[in-house]
Amino acid sequence: MNQLIRKAREGDPDAFIQLMDAHKQAMYQVARGYFSNPMDVEDMLSETVLTCWERLHTLRRPEYFKTWLTRILINNCNDLIRSRRRLVPLEEVPEPSETLSEDDLPGLLDHLDRQTRLILILHYSQGYKTREIAKMLGLPHGTVTSKLKRGRDKLAKRLAEEEVHR
Amino acid sequence: MNRQEKQLYALFRKDWTLSAEAQRGLERSYEQIRQQCREQEEPMNRKRRKPITIIAIAAIVALFTISAAAVVLHSEFFTSAFGTGIKSDPVEVYTDPETGSEMTYPSNERVEVDVDAAEEVVGEKVATSDQSLEVCGYTITIDSYLVDSSGIGVLTYTVEHPDGISGLVGGDSRGGEANFNAWQSERDSDIFEPGISVDGEYIDYYTYVDRDSVTENQVTMVAYFCPFYLLDTPREIEFSVDYLTGIHSGDDPEFGESETLILPITDLGETQTYTDSETGISADVSPMGLKLNLAAWKQANGLDGTQESSVRKVEDENGELVPIDERIEISTHKVVLHYADGSEYTVKDDDIHNVTVEAGDNESTYFFYAFNRLVTNEIISVEFTGVYADWDGIAQEIHAELTP
């Protein structure tokens, strides 16, 4: 991976695209944690790839690439939310899927608030520790741990209900 | 790892099918990047969009001075960095409008600095500089900086712009952080973003606005920083500035060339070590920050990976056994300095966050805190409370009273 990052920093577009493809699942999960509208997810992925290409020279330590990329994506998502708040004073209301299924994790997560969704994704899907998540999201560490616990409990309850109804 | 935890790991580690729109967004950007590269290769269009970092190392010896403390020489620095010009905030409870769940933002309290005491304690360690650089109309001039032997530091610099600096100091963020977000700036101007590293190492830093210094065209910024890992003796600060042009012009914004100043560190702030003999936990405390060291405690509890026999293993999502120390998670809940006169400084607890930067390594061995005040009192002990949670969900409280 470090070799790919080095080549991408030197301006090799093929290496860069390979690098992005290797991280597209992770990027998609985070963007989907923020937005349920597919067009928003599309825009955030597109913008993050371009920002990353433009700013890759500022990354000093390749081992932090994934965290760095995730922070760019989070900043882009926050910017979009902020710009909408300025235009339309409405919170994005998630649209939970009608049916609950283990196979539709994004749908299950839509039942949680945006911050909790994101914390669960960063922790369970991407393996970040709560302290790293606190730093990425600009939240107190205690908030992240309590949201993680509450989110985990809510999700587990949903899954248990689903098992009963099956 | 209990059943619920295993189920969640299994659930989250499944591949998510990318939507057609998401894939399309990626392809669109890939094509744009390929197109840019093709254009750059054409002989008639050799303009590079990829920015080049130019390190502008000034004549450091001529510009850099360290002054001996006979009188209060660094009053402005102490007042900006450790005074009340940076915003304080009370504790706040935020209710999520979607779910009704509550979130507590701890308070941060700034206090007046005693500049005479400050000069006496750390005055001769403060470095002053007048190195400056100009980016997109802003003139950024380094004022002073102070770094302790753990690598915890504070740096003040002045930002001037003939058309005003309201875009940088606008907004009302908690704790008074500066606003370097280009797209939040209402003013039709270009924008810059500062970056700090120490000896080329990635560190954590936050920049705050000294509100008492704000005029129409000028502001003093205060950047605090902490390392994530142990640093050898810190030698230099690299202060770099990236900038972006054309944000409000309707064209695609473009990154300019980064500018960097190298600030040598010739005299480090001293630290004093406090230790708890029962747990082995220690802290190196300087007037500006604290480094907590849990290495001995981890070793005594078989959590540092060196005592294979005592390291428990848990099943991961693939059913393979992995040592639990790879996933160690320690939360620090409370750090309090007790002074000789009976008073105390709560650095952090659940409702108080009197730090400017808090950082730590991924192994939960070292934690660094940059204080939001300068400690000139005599410290008789450091109180620490943390929680180690294992993956069976069993939490163990860690408590230590550290003394010199």
Side-chain angles (χ1 to χ4, degrees):
Chain A
M1 189 62 75
N2 283 0
Q3 177 71 9
L4 266 186
I5 295 169
R6 231 181 344 264
K7 286 172 84 174
R9 282 178 61 159
E10 287 163 8
D12 180 339
D14 295 327
F16 178 76
I17 288 166
Q18 216 179 319
L19 191 61
M20 289 295 104
D21 273 340
H23 289 88
K24 68 181 182 185
Q25 267 283 332
M27 284 196 287
Y28 178 71
Q29 288 170 350
V30 173
R32 186 63 185 78
Y34 266 94
F35 303 107
S36 49
N37 180 342
M39 305 291 277
D40 290 335
V41 175
E42 174 185 348
D43 286 346
M44 288 303 98
L45 260 55
S46 171
E47 198 173 321
T48 300
V49 168
L50 290 176
T51 313
C52 182
W53 171 247
E54 296 272 13
R55 303 210 63 181
L56 197 55
H57 71 291
T58 65
L59 176 70
R60 288 187 170 80
R61 295 189 45 185
E63 60 268 35
Y64 289 113
F65 175 77
K66 192 181 169 195
T67 307
W68 178 79
L69 175 67
T70 307
R71 286 184 72 163
I72 289 177
L73 176 57
I74 286 171
N75 284 343
N76 285 340
C77 292
N78 285 335
D79 283 348
L80 180 63
I81 291 166
R82 273 194 289 263
S83 67
R84 284 192 179 153
R85 277 189 188 143
R86 277 206 301 219
L87 294 171
V88 186
L90 283 175
E91 289 278 333
E92 186 210 22
V93 180
E95 295 155 9
S97 52
E98 296 274 317
T99 53
L100 295 173
S101 156
E102 271 199 27
D103 298 330
D104 179 21
L105 179 60
L108 268 173
L109 290 172
D110 281 343
H111 290 265
L112 305 170
D113 67 277
R114 179 185 287 134
Q115 220 165 48
T116 304
R117 285 201 298 267
L118 199 57
I119 289 168
L120 287 166
I121 288 167
L122 289 171
H123 186 71
Y124 286 108
S125 290
Q126 308 200 7
Y128 287 109
K129 297 194 173 197
T130 50
R131 203 167 45 251
E132 293 171 302
I133 298 170
K135 168 82 188 116
M136 273 188 204
L137 301 180
L139 291 172
H141 182 241
T143 303
V144 173
T145 49
S146 62
K147 286 218 160 219
L148 183 66
K149 185 179 182 318
R150 273 185 240 160
R152 184 168 55 200
D153 292 348
K154 272 188 182 174
L155 206 54
K157 199 174 154 200
R158 286 271 175 193
L159 287 168
E161 283 169 3
E162 181 209 352
E163 273 178 20
V164 170
H165 288 107
R166 224 185 254 172
Chain B
M1 195 183 293
N2 61 26
R3 181 178 167 274
Q4 185 195 85
E5 198 74 4
K6 275 186 196 168
Q7 188 183 16
L8 285 173
Y9 266 111
L11 189 59
F12 275 85
R13 294 288 164 102
K14 280 180 189 170
D15 274 357
W16 293 26
T17 310
L18 257 70
S19 66
E21 291 87 352
Q23 191 62 44
R24 192 172 61 204
L26 291 170
E27 294 297 340
R28 194 172 67 214
S29 295
Y30 294 166
E31 185 45 41
Q32 204 171 324
I33 289 163
R34 288 193 186 101
Q35 179 65 27
Q36 271 180 28
C37 292
R38 279 195 292 271
E39 283 172 8
Q40 282 167 10
E41 282 165 13
E42 288 171 17
M44 293 303 289
N45 190 357
R46 289 196 177 275
K47 186 186 172 200
R48 286 182 62 127
R49 285 204 56 169
K50 188 170 177 289
I52 307 161
T53 303
I54 291 181
I55 298 185
I57 305 176
I60 292 159
V61 177
L63 298 174
F64 179 77
T65 55
I66 294 185
S67 316
V71 291
V72 180
L73 296 171
H74 308 100
S75 176
E76 283 184 20
F77 170 70
F78 293 133
T79 308
S80 287
F82 303 112
T84 52
I86 297 170
K87 193 174 163 232
S88 293
D89 284 301
V91 65
E92 261 178 44
V93 179
Y94 169 76
T95 306
D96 190 317
E98 288 177 17
T99 61
S101 59
E102 288 185 344
M103 187 155 65
T104 301
Y105 290 98
S107 70
N108 57 83
E109 272 307 315
R110 292 272 173 170
V111 295
E112 292 288 350
V113 62
D114 178 343
V115 291
D116 295 308
E119 188 68 52
E120 195 180 320
V121 174
V122 289
E124 60 185 18
K125 310 288 183 185
V126 177
T128 56
S129 166
D130 59 1
Q131 291 192 67
S132 70
L133 46 85
E134 290 192 17
V135 288
C136 44
Y138 290 98
T139 303
I140 301 161
T141 306
I142 304 295
D143 296 328
S144 304
Y145 51 97
L146 173 63
V147 184
D148 74 13
S149 54
S150 302
I152 299 167
V154 57
L155 163 72
T156 58
Y157 58 95
T158 307
V159 181
E160 293 170 82
H161 196 293
D163 298 336
I165 44 84
S166 58
L168 295 174
V169 300
D172 201 27
S173 69
R174 277 186 68 82
E177 269 185 71
N179 175 20
F180 294 111
N181 187 321
W183 286 271
Q184 277 189 295
S185 170
E186 300 290 348
R187 196 160 58 77
D188 184 18
S189 70
D190 302 327
I191 197 94
F192 72 92
E193 186 169 0
I196 295 174
S197 61
V198 172
D199 296 344
E201 296 289 329
Y202 181 76
I203 58 163
D204 205 2
Y205 58 89
Y206 284 89
T207 308
Y208 297 81
V209 174
D210 174 6
R211 286 170 177 255
D212 292 343
S213 74
V214 177
T215 66
E216 196 182 335
N217 301 101
Q218 186 175 312
V219 58
T220 297
M221 297 288 189
V222 187
Y224 301 85
F225 49 91
C226 281
F228 289 103
Y229 290 88
L230 286 188
L231 291 178
D232 291 335
T233 311
R235 296 285 176 210
E236 63 184 26
I237 301 169
E238 193 176 284
F239 178 83
S240 59
V241 176
D242 287 321
Y243 65 97
L244 203 54
T245 58
I247 295 158
H248 299 280
S249 66
D251 299 330
D252 285 340
E254 197 161 348
F255 283 98
E257 294 171 344
S258 296
E259 299 274 359
T260 303
L261 296 173
I262 303 294
L263 309 172
I265 305 165
T266 55
D267 211 352
L268 292 164
E270 288 162 11
T271 57
Q272 184 173 1
T273 303
Y274 295 76
T275 311
D276 178 42
S277 54
E278 204 171 310
T279 60
I281 293 171
S282 66
D284 291 337
V285 187
S286 77
M288 56 201 295
L290 180 153
K291 179 188 78 189
L292 194 66
N293 181 345
L294 298 182
W297 179 85
K298 282 176 68 180
Q299 191 178 25
N301 286 274
L303 296 166
D304 65 343
T306 59
Q307 295 147 297
E308 192 57 38
S309 58
S310 64
V311 174
R312 291 198 301 120
K313 293 190 173 182
V314 294
E315 209 173 282
D316 71 4
E317 60 278 7
N318 300 317
E320 291 171 7
L321 288 175
V322 293
I324 200 166
D325 63 305
E326 286 185 2
R327 291 174 166 180
I328 185 168
E329 184 85 52
I330 296 171
S331 315
T332 64
H333 282 208
K334 189 175 183 182
V335 178
V336 180
L337 306 188
H338 295 279
Y339 295 144
D341 65 5
S343 62
E344 61 186 34
Y345 162 32
T346 302
V347 179
K348 68 170 282 186
D349 69 13
D350 289 341
D351 291 329
I352 297 173
H353 199 246
N354 279 331
V355 291
T356 51
V357 190
E358 178 179 353
D361 63 349
N362 281 338
E363 290 75 37
S364 292
T365 306
Y366 300 101
F367 296 85
F368 298 85
Y369 304 95
F371 300 154
N372 69 354
R373 64 199 62 185
L374 193 76
V375 173
T376 53
N377 302 46
E378 185 192 346
I379 303 164
I380 54 164
S381 67
V382 179
E383 181 186 349
F384 164 69
T385 304
V387 171
Y388 160 62
D390 72 15
W391 286 83
D392 293 328
I394 298 166
Q396 176 190 341
E397 188 166 286
I398 314 163
H399 184 79
E401 279 295 325
L402 288 60
T403 51

